[in-house]
Amino acid sequence: MSDIPLDIYSQPSDDISSNLNGSTIVEENVPLNTSIAAGLAINITPSAEFATVSVEKAVSKLNTDGTSGISSVEEVDRRRELHGTNEVNSDDDDDNNGKLGLLKRFLSGFIEDRLILLLIGSAIVSAILHNVGDAISITAAVIIVMLVGFIQEYKSEKSIEALNKLVPAMCHLVRFGRESHVLAATLVPGDIVVFRVGDRIPADLRIIDSVDLSLDESSLTGEPDPVHKSSDPVPENPTGIIPISDRHCIAFMGTLVKEGHGRGLVVATGKKTAFGSIFEMMSTVDKPKTPLQTAMDRLGKELSLFSFVVIGIICIIGIWQGRSWLDMFQISVSLAVAAIPEGLPIIVTVTLALGVLRMAKRKAIVRRLPSVETLGSVNVICTDKTGTLTANHMTVSKMWCLSSMSTKENILNVGSTTDLRNYLAYDVKRTLEIGSLCNNATFSVEHSKFLGNPTDIAILEELTKFGLIDERDNYIKMKEISFNSKRKFMAVGLKQEKHDDKETSLMCVKGAFEVILSRSTNYLTEDGKINKLTEKNRETIIECANHLASDGLRVLAFASRPCQGDDDFTKFSEDDIDDLTFTGLIGMRDPPRATVKPAIKKLLQGGVHIIMITGDSPNTAVSIAKQIGIPVVDQETSVLTGDKLKTMTNEQLANVINHVNIFARATPEDKLNIVQALKKRGDVVAMTGDGVNDAPALKLADIGISMGIIGTDVAKEASDMILTDDDFSTILTAVEEGKGIFNNIQNFLTFQLSTSIAALSMIALATAFNLPNPLNAMQILWINILMDGPPAQSLGVEPVDHEVMKKPPRSRSERILTMGVLGRILGTAFCIILGTVFICVKEMSTNGEMSARDTTMTFTCFVFFDMFNALACRHSTKSIFQIGIFSNTMFNLSVGLSLVAQLCVIYVPVLQHIFKTENLSAFDLLLLTCLGSTVFVVDELRKFIVNQYLTNYVEEENRYATMV
Ligand SMILES: Nc1ncnc2c1ncn2[C@@H]1O[C@H](COP(=O)(O)OP(=O)(O)OP(=O)(O)O)[C@@H](O)[C@H]1O
Ligand SMILES: [Ca+2]
């Protein structure tokens, strides 16, 4: 079996790269060293070459412009022609091999498979013994077996390759003097790239300018701490070799911007990057397998050993009984080929890969195959509120100012009024002014809407209702402390343009009301005076803020302060934002997504604990939670705030977390503690995140989930799954698929193992009772194709049954072969053996030996049994009539084709010759169909009984639940 890329982002997963770290740096320098030694023209990598030259030199060397980039389309095309696309794992190599490569691979399959070699050997022996018919038959059968196996493996590789293309890397490119957001693959040397915090570096860049830039290079060097980078060239080194870790003015492809921002000149793309050269090496390293694949490999080995022992015994007894040793040898080897589920790992991989592609269509991109398995076991989901549970579309709903509205009864309902010019008391006006000044949203003429933070946009959109304008044009922004989830406020320092020769400077602040209030000492009155805030005033403000929040609104407070000249701007830091004048509160509505409520209901039914983690206030969070059906039993135990969380030890947290559904006023750092506490309890945790600070928690969670739209590259890189629509309900889809895929794997396992056991036991029985062999070598090989091939594979793509969510999450340690599955396997095998032996004995009783007709009947009987068995295996508990006979087209197609092929084997003369069969009558076929269907009927009965028992059980559970 071929390697399976577990990480489908175009970057190696951490575990792989860290294994290679030691050799990484050395490897890149090896050609360098040797070429120096040889005195040849130095084959130096571009990043090493450009590390020592100045920015100006680098720009002129690459014949480009440091600000506007490459100037013509022709030039870009020429460079792409020369350097190729910016991809490390392009398909070029594959195409070069073409058809010849495929043939070579097909043929090498014969040599690698020892059992097949044995079969070919036996064909040659047959030929030498003048048994040409047998020789041809075996050779033909072997070719068919290999062909089916080969096609399957080829398709599995193709579907895995498709996974690699699910998450294309993007970047901000400057070309022809314009900035645009493009696929990273389009970059050529000489391009200019802009990057900011959270981005992934798209190629090897010579940094042109940077602000506080630090990069996480762990994927390249294994160094866990971010590395500071700048545009200063590195001094030349006497040895001529500058290690990767010392190239401080180079930003390497695949590394992540942890802080700051900057611009860089593309010096190397694709395979010529430092990352590309490691990637080449890495693709030859065996990728680790998923737990399920490892389990399947183990199971395969165990089964092989078991089969070998049984076959060995059969073989010895047979020869001892004086049967033809060549016959015995052929049958034993075919039996070994059949009984060994060599198709099992391939089917598991294809099932996982196809499942991942299906999920991608449903907006969940799984980046690592093992995560598909883990998804079915998830029993806790920690989710952000804004944007994931809610639409992330804010509108100002209510407003309140202390002086002009005094109490919560007078809160101004902004949402329902269209003209608000009459409400413009001094404090109201000031609050809105601060809102527009302390704001980073911009109006895009191109899109004819505001772009930026939804909170900021909401304020700007409200101005016209009050007849106000955006005040930012009249001021110069001197300083800014940007908003982040930890700080929970934003502040700007502004200077008004000279007005009557007087210069006014001020500081405007907006943010969470607790934060603003604690930094305020005064408030603004409705006629423009500044008064001291009394304790009573503070209580009133808190009461009103809580009132707004209980309505599900996000509450922002606004404040300002005059500044004394430039002095205040030079020391404009987080700690200096105090002594503010409070002006008012604004409440914003961010409606829950419509799909969230039903999704939460289903997840809760499935025994999944849902925890909302939000930066908003407890009241807002509780109100939203109630709207979407997250249970909040009482606010004391169900809600924990970030402050309280910080005072708790991990043990304390682990003890109470069972009852907690909401973490409010939480910071990204809190998420890490929450995941730790949950994992300590043995939970399987899914956690969402989007920012740079969320990365550690995403990594630690069993399933880290990042947001496709608002998420940063850093978060995506750390995550196991990406929601391309940022929608919480997509998580349900993914969990459903995860559970469904696991069920499908169990189902085809049931099918394969029952067939295998039945075939093995029949030959064993026949040998033990000294009867002629009921199936010959070619027939056994044919059965192997059905069992390992298309019918089994099509069980893996059975559509997900939405009722899987009614079952609790699978425990992490649960084996794939549960007692229930084993029971089904043995029961089915028993049924098949009984029926086939019956036909065999009945046919043989007419003349006492195995004629062509007898073996045809027995063989066809087994195949019919097997096809009905496949039908029964489509679902473990539901009747085929419940899931719909036509709901799995691939299944019907492959079973249909198998049956047609079986008829060909019976009626087409050439095939009759190979398989030693002869024509059967219509009555024979009817009889065999009826007999074969018994395995299906019996299983339907079993399902009926199980369901009866299950519904009773569920009702019992429900009754119990309502009693409590
Ligand atoms: N752009 C902003 N400027 C100033 N203050 C803001 C801004 N956005 C939010 N706030 C304030 O910070 C608080 C916390 O916001 P934060 O962004 O941390 O929550 P959130 O992370 O969006 O919620 P969630 O974690 O559910 O996504 C808000 O309640 C609000 O008062
Ligand atoms: Ca097999």
Side-chain angles (χ1 to χ4, degrees), residues 336-343 784 787-788:
V337 172
I340 291 166
E342 74 277 1
N784 174 54
M787 175 179 116
D788 271 347

Side-chain angles (χ1 to χ4, degrees), residues 116-399:
I116 292 293
L117 278 185
L118 281 180
L119 272 180
I120 294 174
S122 81
I124 294 171
V125 175
S126 299
I128 293 171
L129 297 179
H130 301 291
N131 203 345
V132 181
D134 255 17
I136 295 176
S137 308
I138 294 223
T139 315
V142 161
I143 289 177
I144 298 176
V145 169
M146 291 304 286
L147 206 60
V148 171
F150 177 72
I151 292 172
Q152 244 178 333
E153 186 159 336
Y154 183 73
K155 273 175 65 187
S156 105
E157 269 172 33
K158 284 288 153 201
S159 51
I160 284 169
E161 266 173 34
L163 300 184
N164 284 319
K165 306 198 169 97
L166 285 177
V167 196
M170 305 292 287
C171 67
H172 293 275
L173 163 73
V174 180
R175 216 183 251 174
F176 323 134
R178 283 194 305 271
E179 189 183 327
S180 54
H181 195 221
V182 298
L183 285 175
T186 58
L187 292 181
V188 295
D191 273 331
I192 307 291
V193 170
V194 181
F195 48 85
R196 43 188 79 97
V197 64
D199 283 356
R200 181 172 182 269
I201 299 292
D204 279 2
L205 308 177
R206 170 69 173 87
I207 296 165
I208 297 175
D209 46 46
S210 66
V211 178
D212 293 339
L213 183 64
S214 62
L215 299 182
D216 172 1
E217 294 189 334
S218 56
S219 60
L220 197 65
T221 61
E223 172 58 53
D225 297 324
V227 186
H228 183 73
K229 296 262 169 170
S230 75
S231 57
D232 305 333
V234 180
E236 299 235 19
N237 185 321
T239 61
I241 304 162
I242 297 153
I244 284 192
S245 50
D246 288 353
R247 297 177 201 163
H248 290 303
C249 59
I250 300 289
F252 292 104
M253 176 187 216
T255 57
L256 299 162
V257 184
K258 271 286 155 89
E259 260 175 75
H261 53 92
R263 282 186 319 132
L265 168 71
V266 175
V267 295
T269 57
K271 289 176 183 151
K272 296 202 189 73
T273 61
F275 179 66
S277 58
I278 311 170
F279 194 85
E280 294 278 89
M281 253 168 56
M282 287 222 337
S283 35
T284 59
V285 177
D286 260 351
K287 310 263 179 3
K289 294 189 164 164
T290 79
L292 190 60
Q293 284 170 325
T294 322
M296 285 298 111
D297 282 355
R298 207 182 49 221
L299 183 69
K301 286 211 183 87
E302 284 165 10
L303 287 175
S304 308
L305 193 69
F306 174 75
S307 323
F308 271 128
V309 173
V310 174
I311 293 166
I313 295 172
I314 293 177
C315 194
I316 291 167
I317 296 178
I319 291 173
W320 180 59
Q321 285 168 347
R323 300 182 192 220
S324 142
W325 65 266
L326 187 61
D327 259 8
M328 259 351 268
F329 180 70
Q330 281 177 357
I331 287 196
S332 307
V333 179
S334 331
L335 209 50
V337 172
I340 291 166
E342 74 277 1
L344 198 59
I346 299 183
I347 298 181
V348 170
T349 310
V350 173
T351 305
L352 291 175
L354 290 181
V356 169
L357 290 176
R358 218 166 37 233
M359 284 193 212
K361 282 206 194 95
R362 299 176 71 184
K363 307 277 194 295
I365 295 180
V366 175
R367 295 183 55 231
R368 300 185 177 103
L369 276 188
S371 312
V372 179
E373 300 155 29
T374 319
L375 272 171
S377 318
V378 165
N379 69 338
V380 182
I381 299 178
C382 300
T383 171
D384 281 333
K385 175 177 71 66
T386 314
T388 310
L389 296 172
T390 65
N392 204 17
H393 182 89
M394 311 256 175
T395 45
V396 173
S397 167
K398 300 206 168 142
M399 197 172 163

Side-chain angles (χ1 to χ4, degrees), residues 384-386 453 455-456 483 485 488 490 510-512 554-556 613-616 665:
D384 281 333
K385 175 177 71 66
T386 314
N453 181 321
T455 308
D456 287 355
F483 170 80
S485 294
K488 297 205 193 308
M490 165 180 176
K510 76 177 201 298
R554 154 170 292 197
V555 184
L556 264 79
I613 304 177
T614 176
D616 259 337
R665 289 288 187 235

